[in-house]
Amino acid sequence: MNPVVIAVAITGSVPRKTDNPAVPTTVAEQIESTHQAFEAGATLVHIHVRNDDESPSSDPDKFAAVQEGVRKHCPGMIVQFSTGGRGRDPSARGLSLVHKPDMASLSTGSVNFPSIVYENHATLVTDLAGTMHKNGIRPEIEIFDLSHIHGAKRLIEEGLMDAHPHVQFVMGVKNAMPADEHLLDILLAETKRVIPGATWTAAGIGREQARVMGWALARGADAVRTGLEDNIRVTKDRLAASNAELVSLAAEMVTRNNRKVATPAEARAALHLKPVA
């Protein structure tokens, strides 16, 4: 079976050092945390950046600095920027794309989150997709609802992305899609019907991380996702020591499911990305 890409979401927009001191919030911390995760087996890094007060930032220079450090210290690792909207001005969410990461996240519709509406209106989605297409950036489509699959299909039909996006089912966000194995089967079947050329993964939030990862591996997922953005704990009573610890646990689960952890070159091939020159 195909090798499994381990994606690490190192920071996100929500967890703070008061929640877990290991959350990397400065550029230097993010580069170091990514390097440790890379050494543990991660071959894709999902990047958010923060302001000095740890609030979410859209500063393109910070995204560029993290990317530069990752490319220097983690040869071949896939760099994926977030265009997510929690705590960010919609008009600034695509500013970092000028730096041409390998990939970027793209939500194709709005959804309820625990205390806000995560708004992705049609014009914003089209603008972000167009910028990614122009800069040769492969999108990772964040699926929070069944309709978002069809939103991705429309972008393909409009020529704003090719037929091989990477699709991620996000499960376990309060007020959004629950972590339900039956729902994963529905989402996966619809994706294969509507976007047959897509690669896919599933992300479980918080305590659902390991459970969703197991479901994905059992169904032949191209990738799994872990990291402090989604889950700051190893057990109910113990905080994760680092992103690298979470990646190591993911790698162990991959092996237990009789799968192989992808190398950087295998990860790039699996997700339809060019090899590093």
Side-chain angles (χ1 to χ4, degrees):
M1 195 172 281
N2 57 314
V4 180
V5 180
I6 297 181
V8 58
I10 55 171
T11 304
S13 298
V14 175
R16 306 290 182 102
K17 287 187 178 293
T18 53
D19 301 310
N20 184 331
V23 175
T25 58
T26 69
V27 168
E29 288 172 345
Q30 290 174 323
I31 294 168
E32 177 58 26
S33 186
T34 302
H35 183 225
Q36 293 171 357
F38 178 74
E39 293 292 320
T43 47
L44 186 158
V45 57
H46 177 70
I47 297 168
H48 291 248
V49 296
R50 302 286 187 94
N51 296 309
D52 292 344
D53 65 358
E54 299 188 36
S55 62
S57 173
S58 295
D59 184 345
D61 292 338
K62 288 190 174 184
F63 277 98
V66 178
Q67 176 170 255
E68 181 182 4
V70 170
R71 287 182 170 168
K72 177 180 179 181
H73 296 289
C74 309
M77 192 176 202
I78 298 165
V79 174
Q80 182 188 96
F81 287 175
S82 171
T83 66
R86 190 159 9 194
R88 299 170 66 185
D89 179 348
S91 66
R93 284 165 54 181
L95 293 179
S96 64
L97 300 178
V98 68
H99 295 298
K100 300 184 179 181
D102 300 297
M103 299 181 71
S105 61
L106 178 64
S107 298
T108 58
S110 302
V111 66
N112 288 333
F113 272 5
S115 59
I116 64 167
V117 174
Y118 178 27
E119 187 174 353
N120 295 285
H121 59 76
T123 302
L124 175 63
V125 173
T126 298
D127 288 348
L128 288 172
T131 301
M132 292 179 198
H133 186 67
K134 180 178 69 175
N135 286 293
I137 300 166
R138 182 160 298 284
E140 176 181 278
I141 306 299
E142 308 300 334
I143 303 297
F144 295 94
D145 180 82
L146 189 69
S147 64
H148 298 174
I149 298 168
H150 291 266
K153 180 186 178 184
R154 284 193 293 275
L155 295 175
I156 294 171
E157 291 172 343
E158 293 167 7
L160 293 174
M161 65 184 187
D162 68 22
H164 302 288
H166 187 48
V167 169
Q168 176 164 261
F169 309 116
V170 185
M171 312 186 80
V173 175
K174 184 179 179 181
N175 299 330
M177 188 159 53
D180 183 313
E181 191 171 10
H182 176 63
L183 289 179
L184 178 58
D185 286 331
I186 293 171
L187 293 163
L188 182 56
E190 187 67 355
T191 298
K192 289 183 176 181
R193 184 182 76 86
V194 173
I195 318 173
T199 54
W200 74 277
T201 185
I205 305 304
R207 65 183 181 180
E208 308 292 355
Q209 188 171 81
R211 191 158 65 127
V212 172
M213 193 181 302
W215 297 341
L217 288 168
R219 287 159 175 77
D222 300 283
V224 294
R225 168 161 148 158
T226 189
L228 292 168
E229 171 175 351
D230 299 339
N231 174 34
I232 61 171
R233 297 183 177 277
V234 171
T235 67
K236 179 180 178 181
D237 301 316
R238 184 169 78 80
L239 294 172
S242 63
N243 278 301
E245 180 178 22
L246 293 174
V247 170
S248 294
L249 292 171
E252 290 172 7
M253 185 174 287
V254 169
T255 301
R256 287 199 304 273
N257 279 267
N258 299 313
R259 305 284 299 279
K260 175 183 179 293
V261 175
T263 65
E266 289 170 337
R268 287 182 169 273
L271 300 187
H272 304 280
L273 295 166
K274 293 178 180 179
V276 175

